[in-house]
Amino acid sequence: ATVSVLYCPLPNMTDTPVAIPAGSCYEFVVAEPQKREKAGALDLSYWTYQINTKTNLDVFKSPTMKAVRRYNDFVWLREALVEENPGVIVPPIPEKSLKGTLEKVSGGNSSSSPLRSYRQRAMRKFLVRVGAHPTLRDAKPFVSFLELEEESEFAKVTKMPKKKVEVELSMTQMMKMFSKSKSSDDGTWEETRQYIAQLESSLTMLKDRVELLVRRRRETGGSLKEFGKAFAKVGDIERSYEEGPLSTALVDVGHHSEHLAYVYGEQADVETTQVAETIGYYIGMCGAIKDIIKRLQKICQTRDTLEQVLNNLNIDKSNAKDTKVAQIESEIAVITAKYEEAKQLSEDSAATFKEELQRFHREKQYDIKQMLKSFVELQLEYANKMKKSWETLLPSVDSIRLD
């Protein structure tokens, strides 16, 4: 099966956060993964995902596109978007899994393994969220990722040096920066950092509990299946002695228990995709926010270091001999340009991050509400399924007559 979602300003879409940029419209279809066999004796096989995209954005050469990408290509895309957009919260992608590496080594061939099915959904969600972001939706790396169908052409893009937006320091200036334990802006985001740390910890605990619930549900389903087999066996033995309502009821309960085991498994699957994965996504978002705070602090440290260097140069100039003044002024001009660039970057990044945090809180509020609603509705739906399922057995049981 493929995973498809239309992402544009349409009402009543369960996967649509608030504040969708007007005029943005993407449709992403992420197909089931296909295995690429190893090219050499030492190479590992890997899985690829075909991405079909439809869009009405003018930045693309065509409104329809097709590209085949592997997991590492998603890693490259996210890293490129992060590097080029300081202050922007880039949505997370699923982490590299040891289990996935072991599957490569062992030669697992099923395209529908839980890991790959999860990745398929998570990668679609990543594309959807990037496609809805007003800054990221037409970023050059994103356009290349979706548009370059020829894999060799895309490979060239991924090997190009990443665009650097931060001011680079000399080795001496870097040593001065690292010798400073704090920046003047270190406390600016402390409240946000503490909130995100607490939120991440609470969400991780919640995810663990949901996954425990899902495991217990699967275990209950497995127990019901074995329970059903035992009932059916008793019914078969009873039938071999005397076929009648009792043996029929025993066999019916046995077979019905197997059906109920399937219902429990189905509920566990839906709870995983609609609840556990939503929580996991926001744990990833918390990690992305923590990385941004660290980066903003580094940007501010660079700015402060350059300011210190500039102050020292001005002192040196006031004490220098006439023969050295021209050289120092030249250095001052270079450092001043770097300082102004670093100062502007720190201001722009901080302003962007403030807007991003507002966006994060709006989307979180919407998504968590939808998750809670889905969870409650799931409990009602499957409780009703269980009730109706058991009720179908009553006629068979009631038909037993006691002599």
Side-chain angles (χ1 to χ4, degrees):
T2 58
V3 180
S4 173
V5 62
L6 181 66
Y7 208 76
C8 50
L10 298 177
N12 302 322
M13 292 179 60
T14 58
D15 204 17
T16 308
V18 296
I20 300 174
S24 172
C25 189
Y26 275 104
E27 183 182 350
F28 295 109
V29 177
V30 180
E32 282 189 351
Q34 300 297 317
K35 191 173 185 181
R36 291 277 183 92
E37 295 299 337
K38 56 185 79 173
L42 299 178
D43 296 329
L44 293 175
S45 58
Y46 59 91
W47 294 84
T48 62
Y49 301 82
Q50 180 171 300
I51 303 164
N52 297 308
T53 307
K54 292 182 181 179
T55 182
N56 61 7
L57 296 182
D58 295 337
V59 69
F60 293 96
K61 297 174 184 176
S62 170
T64 60
M65 295 160 283
K66 178 177 71 175
V68 175
R69 300 289 179 253
R70 57 186 295 186
Y71 175 80
N72 288 345
D73 296 331
F74 281 85
V75 174
W76 170 85
L77 172 59
R78 188 176 187 280
E79 289 178 350
L81 293 174
V82 168
E83 182 63 37
E84 294 184 13
N85 299 278
V88 172
I89 305 173
V90 180
I93 58 173
E95 293 182 354
K96 195 79 171 177
S97 168
L98 176 61
K99 181 181 177 183
T101 303
L102 292 175
E103 284 182 357
K104 289 180 185 179
V105 175
S106 64
N109 289 311
S110 173
S111 65
S112 59
S113 79
L115 174 64
R116 283 186 285 278
S117 296
Y118 161 65
R119 275 193 179 171
Q120 182 188 10
R121 293 190 299 271
M123 288 171 175
R124 184 269 300 177
K125 187 166 193 172
F126 170 74
L127 294 175
V128 164
R129 296 298 170 111
V130 172
H133 196 285
T135 300
L136 303 178
R137 62 178 177 173
D138 56 359
K140 192 172 180 180
F142 192 50
V143 172
S144 299
F145 181 89
L146 298 175
E147 193 169 53
L148 294 178
E149 183 175 355
E150 188 64 43
E151 291 181 49
S152 59
E153 290 299 313
F154 179 69
K156 291 178 185 177
V157 173
T158 63
K159 288 177 177 140
M160 293 172 62
K162 288 188 175 71
K163 179 182 175 183
K164 295 288 184 182
V165 297
E166 293 169 40
V167 178
E168 295 185 356
L169 301 178
S170 67
M171 184 60 69
T172 303
Q173 292 163 352
M174 287 179 66
M175 293 300 293
K176 285 183 180 179
M177 183 178 77
F178 290 130
S179 68
K180 291 184 65 176
S181 58
K182 277 193 167 186
S183 160
S184 58
D185 290 66
D186 275 3
T188 304
W189 304 107
E190 183 58 25
E191 185 178 342
T192 300
R193 188 195 64 76
Q194 290 182 8
Y195 164 73
I196 292 299
Q198 292 171 359
L199 178 63
E200 182 181 40
S201 176
S202 299
L203 287 174
T204 300
M205 183 183 298
L206 177 59
K207 185 169 181 282
D208 289 341
R209 298 301 181 270
V210 171
E211 289 175 344
L212 177 61
L213 173 67
V214 167
R215 283 197 300 273
R216 294 279 172 82
R217 222 178 280 288
R218 294 191 197 282
E219 289 168 1
T220 301
S223 298
L224 263 175
K225 192 171 184 179
E226 294 305 313
F227 167 82
K229 288 178 181 177
F231 250 105
K233 188 170 184 180
V234 172
D236 289 337
I237 293 172
E238 181 68 21
R239 181 175 286 170
S240 67
Y241 173 74
E242 179 184 13
E243 184 165 356
L246 177 59
S247 62
T248 300
L250 286 167
V251 171
D252 286 348
V253 170
H255 292 161
H256 202 73
S257 296
E258 292 188 32
H259 167 70
L260 287 171
Y262 170 79
V263 174
Y264 269 104
E266 184 182 68
Q267 183 177 2
D269 289 340
V270 179
E271 285 173 339
T272 296
T273 57
Q274 294 191 10
V275 181
E277 290 181 12
T278 298
I279 299 169
Y281 172 80
Y282 275 97
I283 292 172
M285 288 290 280
C286 288
I289 292 172
K290 291 197 301 184
D291 289 341
I292 292 176
I293 292 174
K294 290 178 184 176
R295 188 177 186 186
L296 291 180
Q297 289 174 336
K298 183 181 176 183
I299 289 172
C300 291
Q301 284 181 330
T302 299
R303 178 205 61 201
D304 292 351
T305 298
L306 288 168
E307 185 178 26
Q308 182 184 348
V309 171
L310 193 57
N311 291 337
N312 291 340
L313 284 172
N314 281 314
I315 293 171
D316 291 344
K317 176 185 172 183
S318 64
N319 297 325
K321 296 179 181 179
D322 291 343
T323 54
K324 293 285 188 179
V325 169
Q327 179 183 345
I328 294 175
E329 286 179 341
S330 176
E331 291 180 25
I332 288 174
V334 172
I335 299 301
T336 298
K338 283 190 172 184
Y339 168 72
E340 292 298 333
E341 183 181 350
K343 181 182 177 184
Q344 190 65 52
L345 179 62
S346 67
E347 292 173 356
D348 291 346
S349 300
T352 296
F353 188 44
K354 286 179 181 178
E355 293 177 0
E356 288 289 293
L357 285 174
Q358 292 175 354
R359 180 186 178 88
F360 166 75
H361 288 302
R362 289 196 305 268
E363 293 188 356
K364 172 173 59 67
Q365 186 179 40
Y366 180 90
D367 287 340
I368 297 299
K369 176 186 174 182
Q370 291 299 113
M371 182 195 74
L372 289 172
K373 185 179 179 183
S374 294
F375 183 76
V376 172
E377 289 174 346
L378 278 173
Q379 306 318 304
L380 292 171
E381 176 186 352
Y382 280 91
N384 193 43
K385 280 186 177 182
M386 295 287 182
K387 179 176 179 292
K388 287 183 177 179
S389 187
W390 283 116
E391 285 174 347
T392 60
L393 282 175
L394 288 177
S396 180
V397 175
D398 289 339
S399 68
I400 301 173
R401 293 287 181 266
L402 301 178
D403 295 333

